[in-house]
Amino acid sequence: MNISDVARDTGLPPKTIRYYEEIGLIRPMRGDNGYRVFRDSDVHKLAFLGRARTLGFSIEDCRTLLALYEDQDRASADVKQVAQDHLDKIEDKIAQLQSMQATLKHLVRECAGDNRPDCPILSDLAKG
Amino acid sequence: MNISDVARDTGLPPKTIRYYEEIGLIRPMRGDNGYRVFRDSDVHKLAFLGRARTLGFSIEDCRTLLALYEDQDRASADVKQVAQDHLDKIEDKIAQLQSMQATLKHLVRECAGDNRPDCPILSDLAKG
DNA sequence: TCTTGACCCTCCAGTGACTGGAATGCCTAT
DNA sequence: ATAGGCATTCCAGTCACTGGAGGGTCAAGA
């Protein structure tokens, strides 16, 4: 398989696939013409990576998860730890965004949004 | 005022303050020794920027908001538009994170987290 | 006066995870 | 032979800082 076939099948852009090779997540073979040749195992890994990225795991987490996936002797506890840590980070992020959301909603509601210059949004930013 | 005084008062690191000058958000004066000299108006602007950044506005949004703040003839509608667009983006982000959270919570709950290798988290990543 | 330590300065490189683009080469069909 | 659609590499840019090197300045104490 050539890179654009893999891109179609995995939903990852060719650029991203090349990047994943560059940082050592995959090691596709090369044909005589220098083209990458992807085996099923490469495609499988890329699909795995794509789904992990969709769940928001960092590239380093993905690397860890892939290693665990390939280690038949892994402990599920190790996988769970990675996922739990990531979940915690996501929940922190959500809380942070919800705090911004609450403030912004309030300010937007208070702002007349007309031709006059008076604006509670700017007043708030100007004086905390 | 020197940069570290301003850092203390605004909560922004000196590096960030220098960076804000570099990208033209502020224009502090210079003393004979080459040190930045911050006037009250600079400190005020930096505090404004710090609060806008806390609300998650991008640097470019901050630039726009600062310009609107300094324009006595602004329309509050323009400010409101910037804030509303930003709020929309935040809400999109929250929704996206909540979707990840839901999936991850489910997977983490399902995973035994013990010494055995069987793991629904990896199974999910491996097969969508 | 000299030294010490806490400031200040600039410039360069790195972060994360790609993405865009240039310059170039290969493959297939007409 | 040529056209187009693939493929390759390498470089630069994104965003908002952050760290560090290498060097100048200032104020206080011996």
PDB file of all heavy atoms in Angstrom, chain D residues 4 7 11 13-14 16 18 21-27 29:
ATOM      1  P    DG D   4      -1.995  18.206 -18.006  1.00  0.00           P
ATOM      2  OP1  DG D   4      -3.306  18.624 -18.504  1.00  0.00           O
ATOM      3  OP2  DG D   4      -0.916  19.187 -17.759  1.00  0.00           O
ATOM      4  O5'  DG D   4      -2.229  17.372 -16.664  1.00  0.00           O
ATOM      5  C5'  DG D   4      -3.198  16.323 -16.616  1.00  0.00           C
ATOM      6  C4'  DG D   4      -2.858  15.442 -15.437  1.00  0.00           C
ATOM      7  O4'  DG D   4      -1.668  14.686 -15.781  1.00  0.00           O
ATOM      8  C3'  DG D   4      -2.469  16.240 -14.196  1.00  0.00           C
ATOM      9  O3'  DG D   4      -3.544  16.537 -13.292  1.00  0.00           O
ATOM     10  C2'  DG D   4      -1.381  15.411 -13.530  1.00  0.00           C
ATOM     11  C1'  DG D   4      -0.998  14.381 -14.569  1.00  0.00           C
ATOM     12  N9   DG D   4       0.439  14.359 -14.792  1.00  0.00           N
ATOM     13  C8   DG D   4       1.282  15.400 -15.117  1.00  0.00           C
ATOM     14  N7   DG D   4       2.527  15.039 -15.229  1.00  0.00           N
ATOM     15  C5   DG D   4       2.511  13.685 -14.944  1.00  0.00           C
ATOM     16  C6   DG D   4       3.575  12.749 -14.904  1.00  0.00           C
ATOM     17  O6   DG D   4       4.781  12.932 -15.116  1.00  0.00           O
ATOM     18  N1   DG D   4       3.105  11.470 -14.569  1.00  0.00           N
ATOM     19  C2   DG D   4       1.796  11.154 -14.329  1.00  0.00           C
ATOM     20  N2   DG D   4       1.533   9.894 -14.034  1.00  0.00           N
ATOM     21  N3   DG D   4       0.800  12.014 -14.371  1.00  0.00           N
ATOM     22  C4   DG D   4       1.233  13.256 -14.681  1.00  0.00           C
ATOM     23  P    DA D   7       0.660   8.938  -2.964  1.00  0.00           P
ATOM     24  OP1  DA D   7       0.308   7.673  -2.272  1.00  0.00           O
ATOM     25  OP2  DA D   7       0.109  10.219  -2.529  1.00  0.00           O
ATOM     26  O5'  DA D   7       2.246   9.099  -3.033  1.00  0.00           O
ATOM     27  C5'  DA D   7       3.063   7.958  -3.249  1.00  0.00           C
ATOM     28  C4'  DA D   7       4.503   8.381  -3.443  1.00  0.00           C
ATOM     29  O4'  DA D   7       4.569   9.341  -4.511  1.00  0.00           O
ATOM     30  C3'  DA D   7       5.109   9.140  -2.252  1.00  0.00           C
ATOM     31  O3'  DA D   7       5.663   8.246  -1.322  1.00  0.00           O
ATOM     32  C2'  DA D   7       6.223   9.929  -2.934  1.00  0.00           C
ATOM     33  C1'  DA D   7       5.696  10.158  -4.334  1.00  0.00           C
ATOM     34  N9   DA D   7       5.292  11.549  -4.587  1.00  0.00           N
ATOM     35  C8   DA D   7       4.042  12.074  -4.552  1.00  0.00           C
ATOM     36  N7   DA D   7       4.001  13.359  -4.847  1.00  0.00           N
ATOM     37  C5   DA D   7       5.327  13.677  -5.088  1.00  0.00           C
ATOM     38  C6   DA D   7       5.956  14.888  -5.450  1.00  0.00           C
ATOM     39  N6   DA D   7       5.309  16.030  -5.637  1.00  0.00           N
ATOM     40  N1   DA D   7       7.289  14.864  -5.603  1.00  0.00           N
ATOM     41  C2   DA D   7       7.942  13.713  -5.413  1.00  0.00           C
ATOM     42  N3   DA D   7       7.456  12.514  -5.080  1.00  0.00           N
ATOM     43  C4   DA D   7       6.129  12.570  -4.930  1.00  0.00           C
ATOM     44  P    DC D  11      16.868  21.570   5.329  1.00  0.00           P
ATOM     45  OP1  DC D  11      18.287  21.844   5.017  1.00  0.00           O
ATOM     46  OP2  DC D  11      16.497  20.830   6.555  1.00  0.00           O
ATOM     47  O5'  DC D  11      16.062  22.933   5.303  1.00  0.00           O
ATOM     48  C5'  DC D  11      15.613  23.472   4.052  1.00  0.00           C
ATOM     49  C4'  DC D  11      14.485  24.441   4.300  1.00  0.00           C
ATOM     50  O4'  DC D  11      13.212  23.747   4.215  1.00  0.00           O
ATOM     51  C3'  DC D  11      14.519  25.113   5.675  1.00  0.00           C
ATOM     52  O3'  DC D  11      14.365  26.511   5.496  1.00  0.00           O
ATOM     53  C2'  DC D  11      13.369  24.472   6.428  1.00  0.00           C
ATOM     54  C1'  DC D  11      12.392  24.151   5.285  1.00  0.00           C
ATOM     55  N1   DC D  11      11.443  23.039   5.592  1.00  0.00           N
ATOM     56  C2   DC D  11      10.087  23.207   5.283  1.00  0.00           C
ATOM     57  O2   DC D  11       9.713  24.267   4.764  1.00  0.00           O
ATOM     58  N3   DC D  11       9.226  22.198   5.555  1.00  0.00           N
ATOM     59  C4   DC D  11       9.669  21.069   6.109  1.00  0.00           C
ATOM     60  N4   DC D  11       8.782  20.118   6.352  1.00  0.00           N
ATOM     61  C5   DC D  11      11.049  20.881   6.433  1.00  0.00           C
ATOM     62  C6   DC D  11      11.894  21.880   6.157  1.00  0.00           C
ATOM     63  P    DG D  13       9.438  31.322   8.397  1.00  0.00           P
ATOM     64  OP1  DG D  13       9.373  32.673   7.800  1.00  0.00           O
ATOM     65  OP2  DG D  13      10.369  31.028   9.512  1.00  0.00           O
ATOM     66  O5'  DG D  13       7.966  30.916   8.846  1.00  0.00           O
ATOM     67  C5'  DG D  13       6.895  30.880   7.886  1.00  0.00           C
ATOM     68  C4'  DG D  13       5.681  30.307   8.576  1.00  0.00           C
ATOM     69  O4'  DG D  13       5.896  28.894   8.789  1.00  0.00           O
ATOM     70  C3'  DG D  13       5.417  30.929   9.949  1.00  0.00           C
ATOM     71  O3'  DG D  13       4.082  31.395  10.009  1.00  0.00           O
ATOM     72  C2'  DG D  13       5.661  29.801  10.933  1.00  0.00           C
ATOM     73  C1'  DG D  13       5.422  28.557  10.077  1.00  0.00           C
ATOM     74  N9   DG D  13       6.157  27.391  10.550  1.00  0.00           N
ATOM     75  C8   DG D  13       7.512  27.285  10.765  1.00  0.00           C
ATOM     76  N7   DG D  13       7.873  26.105  11.188  1.00  0.00           N
ATOM     77  C5   DG D  13       6.690  25.389  11.264  1.00  0.00           C
ATOM     78  C6   DG D  13       6.444  24.053  11.655  1.00  0.00           C
ATOM     79  O6   DG D  13       7.253  23.200  12.041  1.00  0.00           O
ATOM     80  N1   DG D  13       5.090  23.732  11.591  1.00  0.00           N
ATOM     81  C2   DG D  13       4.099  24.583  11.181  1.00  0.00           C
ATOM     82  N2   DG D  13       2.844  24.111  11.179  1.00  0.00           N
ATOM     83  N3   DG D  13       4.315  25.837  10.803  1.00  0.00           N
ATOM     84  C4   DG D  13       5.620  26.165  10.866  1.00  0.00           C
ATOM     85  P    DT D  14       3.665  32.375  11.214  1.00  0.00           P
ATOM     86  OP1  DT D  14       2.827  33.452  10.669  1.00  0.00           O
ATOM     87  OP2  DT D  14       4.851  32.674  12.049  1.00  0.00           O
ATOM     88  O5'  DT D  14       2.727  31.405  12.068  1.00  0.00           O
ATOM     89  C5'  DT D  14       1.611  30.769  11.461  1.00  0.00           C
ATOM     90  C4'  DT D  14       1.092  29.691  12.365  1.00  0.00           C
ATOM     91  O4'  DT D  14       2.065  28.657  12.458  1.00  0.00           O
ATOM     92  C3'  DT D  14       0.854  30.133  13.797  1.00  0.00           C
ATOM     93  O3'  DT D  14      -0.533  30.399  13.967  1.00  0.00           O
ATOM     94  C2'  DT D  14       1.302  28.949  14.646  1.00  0.00           C
ATOM     95  C1'  DT D  14       1.796  27.920  13.635  1.00  0.00           C
ATOM     96  N1   DT D  14       3.019  27.185  13.982  1.00  0.00           N
ATOM     97  C2   DT D  14       2.888  25.890  14.438  1.00  0.00           C
ATOM     98  O2   DT D  14       1.808  25.348  14.591  1.00  0.00           O
ATOM     99  N3   DT D  14       4.074  25.265  14.722  1.00  0.00           N
ATOM    100  C4   DT D  14       5.353  25.775  14.591  1.00  0.00           C
ATOM    101  O4   DT D  14       6.325  25.101  14.875  1.00  0.00           O
ATOM    102  C5   DT D  14       5.416  27.134  14.105  1.00  0.00           C
ATOM    103  C7   DT D  14       6.746  27.790  13.911  1.00  0.00           C
ATOM    104  C6   DT D  14       4.260  27.767  13.825  1.00  0.00           C
ATOM    105  P    DA D  16      -2.129  32.850  20.676  1.00  0.00           P
ATOM    106  OP1  DA D  16      -3.515  32.821  21.206  1.00  0.00           O
ATOM    107  OP2  DA D  16      -1.698  33.941  19.792  1.00  0.00           O
ATOM    108  O5'  DA D  16      -1.138  32.785  21.931  1.00  0.00           O
ATOM    109  C5'  DA D  16      -1.327  31.759  22.885  1.00  0.00           C
ATOM    110  C4'  DA D  16      -0.075  31.636  23.710  1.00  0.00           C
ATOM    111  O4'  DA D  16       0.980  31.070  22.921  1.00  0.00           O
ATOM    112  C3'  DA D  16       0.489  32.971  24.240  1.00  0.00           C
ATOM    113  O3'  DA D  16       0.849  32.800  25.591  1.00  0.00           O
ATOM    114  C2'  DA D  16       1.714  33.193  23.377  1.00  0.00           C
ATOM    115  C1'  DA D  16       2.161  31.760  23.228  1.00  0.00           C
ATOM    116  N9   DA D  16       3.173  31.520  22.201  1.00  0.00           N
ATOM    117  C8   DA D  16       3.527  32.293  21.139  1.00  0.00           C
ATOM    118  N7   DA D  16       4.508  31.801  20.419  1.00  0.00           N
ATOM    119  C5   DA D  16       4.826  30.621  21.039  1.00  0.00           C
ATOM    120  C6   DA D  16       5.780  29.632  20.774  1.00  0.00           C
ATOM    121  N6   DA D  16       6.635  29.687  19.759  1.00  0.00           N
ATOM    122  N1   DA D  16       5.819  28.564  21.613  1.00  0.00           N
ATOM    123  C2   DA D  16       4.966  28.514  22.636  1.00  0.00           C
ATOM    124  N3   DA D  16       4.019  29.384  22.992  1.00  0.00           N
ATOM    125  C4   DA D  16       3.999  30.429  22.142  1.00  0.00           C
ATOM    126  P    DT D  18       4.938  30.964  30.104  1.00  0.00           P
ATOM    127  OP1  DT D  18       4.073  29.973  30.763  1.00  0.00           O
ATOM    128  OP2  DT D  18       5.188  32.275  30.717  1.00  0.00           O
ATOM    129  O5'  DT D  18       6.374  30.304  29.834  1.00  0.00           O
ATOM    130  C5'  DT D  18       6.463  28.909  29.568  1.00  0.00           C
ATOM    131  C4'  DT D  18       7.907  28.566  29.330  1.00  0.00           C
ATOM    132  O4'  DT D  18       8.376  29.128  28.090  1.00  0.00           O
ATOM    133  C3'  DT D  18       8.869  29.072  30.416  1.00  0.00           C
ATOM    134  O3'  DT D  18       9.469  27.917  30.978  1.00  0.00           O
ATOM    135  C2'  DT D  18       9.871  29.948  29.654  1.00  0.00           C
ATOM    136  C1'  DT D  18       9.737  29.441  28.232  1.00  0.00           C
ATOM    137  N1   DT D  18      10.037  30.392  27.137  1.00  0.00           N
ATOM    138  C2   DT D  18      10.895  29.997  26.136  1.00  0.00           C
ATOM    139  O2   DT D  18      11.449  28.915  26.140  1.00  0.00           O
ATOM    140  N3   DT D  18      11.088  30.923  25.153  1.00  0.00           N
ATOM    141  C4   DT D  18      10.523  32.176  25.051  1.00  0.00           C
ATOM    142  O4   DT D  18      10.769  32.917  24.107  1.00  0.00           O
ATOM    143  C5   DT D  18       9.620  32.530  26.124  1.00  0.00           C
ATOM    144  C7   DT D  18       8.943  33.860  26.117  1.00  0.00           C
ATOM    145  C6   DT D  18       9.431  31.633  27.109  1.00  0.00           C
ATOM    146  P    DA D  21      22.702  27.678  30.381  1.00  0.00           P
ATOM    147  OP1  DA D  21      23.286  26.347  30.623  1.00  0.00           O
ATOM    148  OP2  DA D  21      22.422  28.576  31.525  1.00  0.00           O
ATOM    149  O5'  DA D  21      23.602  28.447  29.318  1.00  0.00           O
ATOM    150  C5'  DA D  21      23.482  28.105  27.930  1.00  0.00           C
ATOM    151  C4'  DA D  21      24.022  29.248  27.099  1.00  0.00           C
ATOM    152  O4'  DA D  21      23.014  30.292  26.992  1.00  0.00           O
ATOM    153  C3'  DA D  21      25.268  29.895  27.687  1.00  0.00           C
ATOM    154  O3'  DA D  21      26.185  30.148  26.637  1.00  0.00           O
ATOM    155  C2'  DA D  21      24.743  31.186  28.308  1.00  0.00           C
ATOM    156  C1'  DA D  21      23.574  31.521  27.394  1.00  0.00           C
ATOM    157  N9   DA D  21      22.492  32.280  28.020  1.00  0.00           N
ATOM    158  C8   DA D  21      21.845  31.987  29.188  1.00  0.00           C
ATOM    159  N7   DA D  21      20.884  32.843  29.503  1.00  0.00           N
ATOM    160  C5   DA D  21      20.910  33.753  28.454  1.00  0.00           C
ATOM    161  C6   DA D  21      20.137  34.909  28.183  1.00  0.00           C
ATOM    162  N6   DA D  21      19.156  35.337  28.975  1.00  0.00           N
ATOM    163  N1   DA D  21      20.413  35.595  27.055  1.00  0.00           N
ATOM    164  C2   DA D  21      21.403  35.152  26.262  1.00  0.00           C
ATOM    165  N3   DA D  21      22.189  34.092  26.407  1.00  0.00           N
ATOM    166  C4   DA D  21      21.888  33.423  27.539  1.00  0.00           C
ATOM    167  P    DG D  22      27.689  30.519  26.992  1.00  0.00           P
ATOM    168  OP1  DG D  22      28.518  29.940  25.917  1.00  0.00           O
ATOM    169  OP2  DG D  22      27.916  30.193  28.406  1.00  0.00           O
ATOM    170  O5'  DG D  22      27.710  32.098  26.833  1.00  0.00           O
ATOM    171  C5'  DG D  22      27.190  32.697  25.652  1.00  0.00           C
ATOM    172  C4'  DG D  22      27.202  34.195  25.843  1.00  0.00           C
ATOM    173  O4'  DG D  22      25.971  34.596  26.493  1.00  0.00           O
ATOM    174  C3'  DG D  22      28.334  34.690  26.748  1.00  0.00           C
ATOM    175  O3'  DG D  22      28.888  35.859  26.175  1.00  0.00           O
ATOM    176  C2'  DG D  22      27.631  34.971  28.066  1.00  0.00           C
ATOM    177  C1'  DG D  22      26.291  35.469  27.549  1.00  0.00           C
ATOM    178  N9   DG D  22      25.199  35.454  28.516  1.00  0.00           N
ATOM    179  C8   DG D  22      24.986  34.586  29.560  1.00  0.00           C
ATOM    180  N7   DG D  22      23.898  34.846  30.247  1.00  0.00           N
ATOM    181  C5   DG D  22      23.361  35.957  29.611  1.00  0.00           C
ATOM    182  C6   DG D  22      22.184  36.707  29.904  1.00  0.00           C
ATOM    183  O6   DG D  22      21.366  36.521  30.791  1.00  0.00           O
ATOM    184  N1   DG D  22      22.019  37.755  29.013  1.00  0.00           N
ATOM    185  C2   DG D  22      22.866  38.059  27.979  1.00  0.00           C
ATOM    186  N2   DG D  22      22.545  39.111  27.223  1.00  0.00           N
ATOM    187  N3   DG D  22      23.966  37.375  27.690  1.00  0.00           N
ATOM    188  C4   DG D  22      24.141  36.345  28.548  1.00  0.00           C
ATOM    189  P    DG D  23      30.187  36.529  26.769  1.00  0.00           P
ATOM    190  OP1  DG D  23      31.062  36.786  25.603  1.00  0.00           O
ATOM    191  OP2  DG D  23      30.667  35.745  27.930  1.00  0.00           O
ATOM    192  O5'  DG D  23      29.659  37.938  27.275  1.00  0.00           O
ATOM    193  C5'  DG D  23      28.942  38.769  26.359  1.00  0.00           C
ATOM    194  C4'  DG D  23      28.096  39.727  27.136  1.00  0.00           C
ATOM    195  O4'  DG D  23      27.134  38.998  27.932  1.00  0.00           O
ATOM    196  C3'  DG D  23      28.847  40.611  28.140  1.00  0.00           C
ATOM    197  O3'  DG D  23      28.797  41.967  27.722  1.00  0.00           O
ATOM    198  C2'  DG D  23      28.076  40.450  29.439  1.00  0.00           C
ATOM    199  C1'  DG D  23      26.774  39.860  28.975  1.00  0.00           C
ATOM    200  N9   DG D  23      26.066  39.142  30.014  1.00  0.00           N
ATOM    201  C8   DG D  23      26.413  37.983  30.646  1.00  0.00           C
ATOM    202  N7   DG D  23      25.542  37.603  31.557  1.00  0.00           N
ATOM    203  C5   DG D  23      24.579  38.595  31.529  1.00  0.00           C
ATOM    204  C6   DG D  23      23.399  38.755  32.287  1.00  0.00           C
ATOM    205  O6   DG D  23      22.948  38.016  33.173  1.00  0.00           O
ATOM    206  N1   DG D  23      22.710  39.894  31.934  1.00  0.00           N
ATOM    207  C2   DG D  23      23.103  40.791  30.959  1.00  0.00           C
ATOM    208  N2   DG D  23      22.326  41.849  30.747  1.00  0.00           N
ATOM    209  N3   DG D  23      24.199  40.663  30.240  1.00  0.00           N
ATOM    210  C4   DG D  23      24.883  39.546  30.576  1.00  0.00           C
ATOM    211  P    DG D  24      29.655  43.034  28.511  1.00  0.00           P
ATOM    212  OP1  DG D  24      30.380  43.803  27.461  1.00  0.00           O
ATOM    213  OP2  DG D  24      30.385  42.393  29.618  1.00  0.00           O
ATOM    214  O5'  DG D  24      28.530  43.985  29.111  1.00  0.00           O
ATOM    215  C5'  DG D  24      27.745  44.774  28.217  1.00  0.00           C
ATOM    216  C4'  DG D  24      26.624  45.423  28.992  1.00  0.00           C
ATOM    217  O4'  DG D  24      25.925  44.403  29.740  1.00  0.00           O
ATOM    218  C3'  DG D  24      27.080  46.465  30.024  1.00  0.00           C
ATOM    219  O3'  DG D  24      26.176  47.560  29.994  1.00  0.00           O
ATOM    220  C2'  DG D  24      26.998  45.709  31.339  1.00  0.00           C
ATOM    221  C1'  DG D  24      25.804  44.805  31.089  1.00  0.00           C
ATOM    222  N9   DG D  24      25.761  43.598  31.913  1.00  0.00           N
ATOM    223  C8   DG D  24      26.609  42.524  31.871  1.00  0.00           C
ATOM    224  N7   DG D  24      26.296  41.585  32.723  1.00  0.00           N
ATOM    225  C5   DG D  24      25.183  42.072  33.385  1.00  0.00           C
ATOM    226  C6   DG D  24      24.401  41.502  34.422  1.00  0.00           C
ATOM    227  O6   DG D  24      24.546  40.429  34.987  1.00  0.00           O
ATOM    228  N1   DG D  24      23.351  42.343  34.790  1.00  0.00           N
ATOM    229  C2   DG D  24      23.099  43.570  34.221  1.00  0.00           C
ATOM    230  N2   DG D  24      22.053  44.237  34.711  1.00  0.00           N
ATOM    231  N3   DG D  24      23.812  44.116  33.255  1.00  0.00           N
ATOM    232  C4   DG D  24      24.836  43.311  32.886  1.00  0.00           C
ATOM    233  P    DT D  25      26.461  48.812  30.950  1.00  0.00           P
ATOM    234  OP1  DT D  25      25.895  49.985  30.234  1.00  0.00           O
ATOM    235  OP2  DT D  25      27.870  48.780  31.385  1.00  0.00           O
ATOM    236  O5'  DT D  25      25.523  48.498  32.193  1.00  0.00           O
ATOM    237  C5'  DT D  25      24.106  48.506  32.022  1.00  0.00           C
ATOM    238  C4'  DT D  25      23.428  48.586  33.381  1.00  0.00           C
ATOM    239  O4'  DT D  25      23.577  47.332  34.085  1.00  0.00           O
ATOM    240  C3'  DT D  25      23.964  49.671  34.320  1.00  0.00           C
ATOM    241  O3'  DT D  25      22.834  50.279  34.926  1.00  0.00           O
ATOM    242  C2'  DT D  25      24.787  48.886  35.333  1.00  0.00           C
ATOM    243  C1'  DT D  25      23.992  47.579  35.409  1.00  0.00           C
ATOM    244  N1   DT D  25      24.708  46.346  35.817  1.00  0.00           N
ATOM    245  C2   DT D  25      24.188  45.582  36.827  1.00  0.00           C
ATOM    246  O2   DT D  25      23.185  45.869  37.429  1.00  0.00           O
ATOM    247  N3   DT D  25      24.909  44.450  37.115  1.00  0.00           N
ATOM    248  C4   DT D  25      26.057  44.014  36.498  1.00  0.00           C
ATOM    249  O4   DT D  25      26.603  42.965  36.841  1.00  0.00           O
ATOM    250  C5   DT D  25      26.558  44.860  35.449  1.00  0.00           C
ATOM    251  C7   DT D  25      27.799  44.475  34.712  1.00  0.00           C
ATOM    252  C6   DT D  25      25.865  45.976  35.157  1.00  0.00           C
ATOM    253  P    DC D  26      22.900  51.687  35.627  1.00  0.00           P
ATOM    254  OP1  DC D  26      21.870  52.536  35.017  1.00  0.00           O
ATOM    255  OP2  DC D  26      24.321  52.120  35.685  1.00  0.00           O
ATOM    256  O5'  DC D  26      22.423  51.318  37.098  1.00  0.00           O
ATOM    257  C5'  DC D  26      21.388  50.353  37.267  1.00  0.00           C
ATOM    258  C4'  DC D  26      21.356  49.882  38.711  1.00  0.00           C
ATOM    259  O4'  DC D  26      22.204  48.719  38.852  1.00  0.00           O
ATOM    260  C3'  DC D  26      21.831  50.911  39.737  1.00  0.00           C
ATOM    261  O3'  DC D  26      20.864  50.976  40.757  1.00  0.00           O
ATOM    262  C2'  DC D  26      23.164  50.349  40.232  1.00  0.00           C
ATOM    263  C1'  DC D  26      22.938  48.850  40.051  1.00  0.00           C
ATOM    264  N1   DC D  26      24.151  48.016  39.841  1.00  0.00           N
ATOM    265  C2   DC D  26      24.265  46.795  40.531  1.00  0.00           C
ATOM    266  O2   DC D  26      23.372  46.463  41.307  1.00  0.00           O
ATOM    267  N3   DC D  26      25.359  46.021  40.316  1.00  0.00           N
ATOM    268  C4   DC D  26      26.301  46.426  39.458  1.00  0.00           C
ATOM    269  N4   DC D  26      27.349  45.618  39.271  1.00  0.00           N
ATOM    270  C5   DC D  26      26.212  47.651  38.745  1.00  0.00           C
ATOM    271  C6   DC D  26      25.128  48.413  38.968  1.00  0.00           C
ATOM    272  P    DA D  27      20.798  52.263  41.739  1.00  0.00           P
ATOM    273  OP1  DA D  27      19.477  52.890  41.574  1.00  0.00           O
ATOM    274  OP2  DA D  27      22.045  53.041  41.605  1.00  0.00           O
ATOM    275  O5'  DA D  27      20.811  51.545  43.170  1.00  0.00           O
ATOM    276  C5'  DA D  27      20.224  50.251  43.338  1.00  0.00           C
ATOM    277  C4'  DA D  27      20.759  49.611  44.606  1.00  0.00           C
ATOM    278  O4'  DA D  27      21.933  48.804  44.282  1.00  0.00           O
ATOM    279  C3'  DA D  27      21.196  50.577  45.704  1.00  0.00           C
ATOM    280  O3'  DA D  27      20.723  50.085  46.941  1.00  0.00           O
ATOM    281  C2'  DA D  27      22.712  50.580  45.604  1.00  0.00           C
ATOM    282  C1'  DA D  27      23.003  49.169  45.114  1.00  0.00           C
ATOM    283  N9   DA D  27      24.195  49.017  44.296  1.00  0.00           N
ATOM    284  C8   DA D  27      24.751  49.930  43.437  1.00  0.00           C
ATOM    285  N7   DA D  27      25.822  49.495  42.813  1.00  0.00           N
ATOM    286  C5   DA D  27      25.987  48.203  43.299  1.00  0.00           C
ATOM    287  C6   DA D  27      26.937  47.207  43.032  1.00  0.00           C
ATOM    288  N6   DA D  27      27.930  47.366  42.157  1.00  0.00           N
ATOM    289  N1   DA D  27      26.802  46.036  43.687  1.00  0.00           N
ATOM    290  C2   DA D  27      25.798  45.880  44.547  1.00  0.00           C
ATOM    291  N3   DA D  27      24.835  46.745  44.873  1.00  0.00           N
ATOM    292  C4   DA D  27      24.988  47.893  44.213  1.00  0.00           C
ATOM    293  P    DG D  29      23.584  47.559  53.427  1.00  0.00           P
ATOM    294  OP1  DG D  29      22.636  46.906  54.356  1.00  0.00           O
ATOM    295  OP2  DG D  29      23.812  49.021  53.483  1.00  0.00           O
ATOM    296  O5'  DG D  29      24.983  46.819  53.582  1.00  0.00           O
ATOM    297  C5'  DG D  29      25.075  45.420  53.329  1.00  0.00           C
ATOM    298  C4'  DG D  29      26.526  45.027  53.138  1.00  0.00           C
ATOM    299  O4'  DG D  29      27.062  45.698  51.970  1.00  0.00           O
ATOM    300  C3'  DG D  29      27.453  45.412  54.308  1.00  0.00           C
ATOM    301  O3'  DG D  29      28.270  44.291  54.604  1.00  0.00           O
ATOM    302  C2'  DG D  29      28.258  46.581  53.760  1.00  0.00           C
ATOM    303  C1'  DG D  29      28.333  46.225  52.282  1.00  0.00           C
ATOM    304  N9   DG D  29      28.580  47.339  51.372  1.00  0.00           N
ATOM    305  C8   DG D  29      27.906  48.530  51.293  1.00  0.00           C
ATOM    306  N7   DG D  29      28.358  49.323  50.349  1.00  0.00           N
ATOM    307  C5   DG D  29      29.404  48.602  49.778  1.00  0.00           C
ATOM    308  C6   DG D  29      30.274  48.948  48.705  1.00  0.00           C
ATOM    309  O6   DG D  29      30.288  49.969  48.033  1.00  0.00           O
ATOM    310  N1   DG D  29      31.182  47.927  48.449  1.00  0.00           N
ATOM    311  C2   DG D  29      31.258  46.732  49.132  1.00  0.00           C
ATOM    312  N2   DG D  29      32.195  45.875  48.736  1.00  0.00           N
ATOM    313  N3   DG D  29      30.447  46.397  50.126  1.00  0.00           N
ATOM    314  C4   DG D  29      29.553  47.386  50.391  1.00  0.00           C
TER     315       DG D  29
END
